[in-house]
Amino acid sequence: MHKNSQNNTSNLSQILDQKENRNIRKIRFTELTVKHLKPLSKRTIFWFEGMMGFGLRVSPKGRKTWIYVFQFDNKPRMLTLGKYPKMSLSEARIAYSKAVYKTDLEIDPAKEKTKENEQELKAPTVEDLSLKYIKYCIAKKEASWKEKQRAINKELLPIIGDKKVKDITFRDIAPIINNIHIERKATTQAQRLLSHTRCMFKYAKNGLGLIEINPCSDLEAPKRQKKPKYALDTKDIYRFWNNIDYTFMKPVVRLGLKFMFCTLARGVEVRKMKWSDINFGDKTWFIPSENAKNNKAMLLPLNSYALTILKEIYQYTGHSDFVFGWNRSLNSGQQLLDKQEMIPMGVTAFSHALRDNFELLHIERKFTPHDLRRSSATCLTSVGYPREWVSKLLNHTPNNVTSMVYDVFDYFEEKRAGMESIRYILDRILSAKSVDLVPSLRAIRKEFLSQKLIYQFLDEAYFEPQKSVDNSQGFQSSFVNPVSYTLSYDHDELKNEA
């Protein structure tokens, strides 16, 4: 032991006891004797026979603390090894042996422990990490940083926010994810939270060097039961399009859902759509990359139904930036709104409105806003519109080398033919005098194939001004004069039921 500390340890123990006005007490430590040591009226130190400087300090209230007393640089020193029973006798003896070894190497274990404690206090917590991570996401211009911040603040920080980042293991994360997945049955939220948490600790490891192992690396994302894909048939499309006008949905929500169907657009693209993105002269909608799910910009042709919806929604949001913008004043029935007050609708606005008003649609099977996009795509493929072109309309990321690397054509004419095909299909469905008379997709398919309608819609001459099409079904339709239609339900009766 450094500088004859072995010889002086016994004297240090006596000095410590005398200084605190206590008698020297030596016992042979065993798990049993330590467990049954009774507290005295004053704090007492019991010394281990045969192990110099190794003691157990017992407070009048019964708190037991392992200590090691030694001399370093001719000064008495004391090191707290740990508390009993959190640190057992065997663990305390190991800690004592390590401290003695360091003293022999002329290292002050008490000073070293103080530095460790200071580092422990300065070590960042999960809450500290989350603040740095969100700043990092903002600097990278990630579109989802607000969603990450909301999920982490709500689900993660209340439970492990005050814990040190270096102390977090998968045992801390797994119960949080499982509780959301199993107890709350919110699989999507559990998947997203795990993804956000994994990315945050990846940043802690690779970006900040705070940890060596990502505690989320081995955690598997919760899996949901796969639901069968669903597309509305022609009768349900008829019910949806007509009956949605008699629900309690606000106009911007109702018209937004219709717009999703007749353009095959994603909900996020519709919610963030701006009037500046619309070219009424060219009948096009430019979807910027920051609004697209795959960060791929697209120029989308608009059919007569989409244009009619835009003209109708203008009375509600025409003085704002966002086409389907939202404002609290909409709840009071105002139409013209201040430009500065408008914001995009919330992420769940469409789904919540559809769920709350579903019964008023008179459709048996429940569906989601995304099913409207799937329904439109199914209508197109069922009438012979090529699946590859549908993929272009859906703005899907190609999955082969030719499409990803070599094919840079915009397929605008093909997209326009697809939009006009949707127009034709809607005309045929909505012109029915009752839901029972709505033609099936197979019947509409026969018309497309027999009249070669897709090739007509590809012809540039078809879109000349005031061009009308006689579809041989007894009604006229055109871009400027969409076909009229009536409900099979009595409107006044439906309003009274609502």
Side-chain angles (χ1 to χ4, degrees):
M1 195 176 288
H2 176 59
K3 295 192 177 182
N4 298 322
S5 58
Q6 181 75 28
N7 298 328
N8 295 328
T9 299
S10 179
N11 295 331
L12 285 172
S13 302
Q14 294 178 25
I15 293 172
L16 183 63
D17 282 320
Q18 291 171 3
K19 184 178 180 180
E20 298 187 3
N21 197 21
R22 297 184 184 89
N23 295 324
I24 298 175
R25 299 176 182 272
K26 290 187 177 181
I27 62 173
R28 179 170 294 278
F29 287 162
T30 65
E31 289 288 355
L32 192 61
T33 57
V34 171
K35 182 179 180 180
H36 291 93
L37 271 177
K38 300 297 182 183
L40 301 178
S41 59
K42 294 183 179 180
R43 189 170 67 173
T44 307
I45 299 177
F46 297 88
W47 301 106
F48 197 113
E49 291 184 356
M51 298 181 71
M52 291 295 185
F54 182 36
L56 182 66
R57 187 173 62 206
V58 183
S59 73
K61 292 185 179 181
R63 289 191 294 269
K64 300 173 182 178
T65 307
W66 302 107
I67 63 171
Y68 166 50
V69 176
F70 61 100
Q71 185 163 323
F72 194 89
D73 288 339
N74 296 320
K75 296 179 181 179
R77 304 283 284 159
M78 177 187 288
L79 173 65
T80 300
L81 301 175
K83 296 184 181 297
Y84 178 87
K86 187 176 182 179
M87 176 181 279
S88 65
L89 172 60
S90 58
E91 291 172 335
R93 294 180 69 167
I94 294 173
Y96 165 78
S97 299
K98 290 181 178 179
V100 171
Y101 178 72
K102 288 180 180 179
T103 307
D104 289 340
L105 294 177
E106 299 186 7
I107 298 173
D108 185 347
K111 188 175 182 180
E112 189 178 61
K113 181 70 175 293
T114 300
K115 289 183 179 179
E116 291 177 359
N117 292 338
E118 290 176 353
Q119 292 176 354
E120 177 70 18
L121 290 174
K122 294 179 181 179
T125 63
V126 176
E127 184 175 4
D128 297 331
L129 170 62
S130 69
L131 296 175
K132 293 182 179 180
Y133 176 62
I134 295 302
K135 288 182 179 179
Y136 169 73
C137 293
I138 295 173
K140 286 180 60 182
K141 297 182 179 180
E142 289 188 12
S144 60
W145 73 265
K146 288 186 178 179
E147 168 60 23
K148 289 184 177 182
Q149 185 181 51
R150 185 202 63 79
I152 292 172
N153 289 349
K154 179 182 177 181
E155 308 288 359
L156 207 65
L157 298 189
I159 301 175
I160 62 171
D162 58 345
K163 291 188 176 182
K164 304 296 183 181
V165 175
K166 64 182 182 62
D167 296 331
I168 298 296
T169 68
F170 72 94
R171 293 184 179 88
D172 298 298
I173 307 296
I176 300 175
I177 304 301
N178 288 334
N179 178 67
I180 298 173
H181 171 50
I182 298 173
E183 299 297 330
R184 288 161 45 182
K185 297 181 180 179
T187 306
T188 300
Q189 288 90 326
Q191 291 172 340
R192 289 175 180 171
L193 179 63
L194 178 58
S195 175
H196 300 335
T197 307
R198 181 181 287 117
C199 291
M200 183 175 70
F201 280 99
K202 181 180 180 180
Y203 171 67
K205 176 187 175 187
N206 299 336
L208 301 177
L210 299 177
I211 53 177
E212 295 182 0
I213 299 176
N214 189 331
C216 303
S217 58
D218 293 331
L219 290 179
E220 293 185 3
K223 296 181 180 179
R224 65 166 65 230
Q225 291 183 346
K226 290 186 177 180
K227 295 181 180 180
K229 296 178 180 179
Y230 176 56
L232 280 69
D233 60 23
T234 53
K235 294 182 184 297
D236 284 342
I237 293 172
Y238 181 94
R239 295 185 180 100
F240 160 76
W241 195 271
N242 288 299
N243 295 338
I244 197 173
D245 293 335
Y246 299 92
T247 64
F248 296 106
M249 296 183 193
K250 298 301 178 184
V252 290
V253 178
R254 167 172 52 83
L255 293 171
L257 288 169
K258 283 186 174 182
F259 195 82
M260 286 179 63
F261 179 86
C262 63
T263 60
L264 286 76
R266 297 181 177 94
V268 63
E269 295 164 348
V270 174
R271 288 188 299 101
K272 296 184 178 182
M273 181 182 185
K274 292 184 177 181
W275 287 110
S276 58
D277 299 330
I278 307 299
N279 188 321
F280 285 97
D282 294 338
K283 300 183 178 68
T284 57
W285 167 26
F286 176 72
I287 303 175
S289 59
E290 60 267 23
N291 291 354
K293 182 179 179 181
N294 58 359
N295 295 319
K296 183 180 178 182
M298 181 175 72
L299 184 65
L300 185 69
L302 297 174
N303 56 32
S304 59
Y305 283 94
L307 293 169
T308 300
I309 290 172
L310 291 176
K311 291 177 182 178
E312 185 175 351
I313 199 68
Y314 187 83
Q315 63 180 310
Y316 300 100
T317 65
H319 287 64
S320 70
D321 285 334
F322 297 98
V323 177
F324 297 95
W326 187 258
N327 185 285
R328 290 183 179 179
S329 57
L330 281 173
N331 293 327
S332 61
Q334 268 186 273
Q335 292 184 346
L336 299 180
L337 303 172
D338 192 304
K339 180 177 179 179
Q340 300 300 323
E341 295 178 351
M342 296 297 291
I343 60 173
M345 281 191 287
V347 176
T348 59
F350 286 135
S351 57
H352 282 179
L354 197 57
R355 183 172 63 246
D356 293 343
N357 292 271
F358 178 76
E359 292 184 359
L360 298 177
L361 297 176
H362 298 278
I363 297 175
E364 291 185 4
R365 183 170 177 177
K366 291 187 176 182
F367 60 94
T368 66
H370 194 75
D371 288 328
L372 296 174
R373 175 174 155 95
R374 181 180 293 111
S375 301
S376 300
T378 302
C379 286
L380 286 176
T381 55
S382 66
V383 299
Y385 187 79
R387 186 170 294 174
E388 290 185 2
W389 295 357
V390 173
S391 181
K392 299 293 183 182
L393 274 175
L394 293 170
N395 199 17
H396 281 169
T397 301
N399 56 5
N400 58 74
V401 175
T402 301
S403 299
M404 293 175 64
V405 180
Y406 296 100
D407 187 1
V408 295
F409 190 63
D410 61 3
Y411 289 86
F412 180 82
E413 288 76 17
E414 286 79 3
K415 293 175 184 176
R416 185 172 58 180
M419 288 291 98
E420 185 64 3
S421 297
I422 288 292
R423 192 276 310 163
Y424 184 96
I425 294 169
L426 272 174
D427 277 355
R428 291 291 291 113
I429 292 172
L430 300 178
S431 64
K433 295 181 178 180
S434 72
V435 68
D436 295 327
L437 297 178
V438 173
S440 67
L441 279 176
R442 289 192 178 278
I444 299 175
R445 173 186 173 88
K446 290 180 180 179
E447 297 175 18
F448 267 81
L449 296 179
S450 63
Q451 300 178 47
K452 299 181 179 180
L453 290 177
I454 293 177
Y455 294 101
Q456 290 186 36
F457 300 154
L458 281 172
D459 189 352
E460 189 71 28
Y462 175 85
F463 294 96
E464 292 178 359
Q466 299 180 351
K467 177 73 176 180
S468 297
V469 179
D470 185 351
N471 56 28
S472 73
Q473 299 299 322
F475 62 89
Q476 293 282 340
S477 62
S478 70
F479 263 66
V480 295
N481 183 29
V483 69
S484 60
Y485 48 87
T486 57
L487 266 173
S488 62
Y489 306 101
D490 183 78
H491 289 189
D492 294 331
E493 181 181 347
L494 186 58
K495 287 183 177 179
N496 293 332
E497 290 179 358

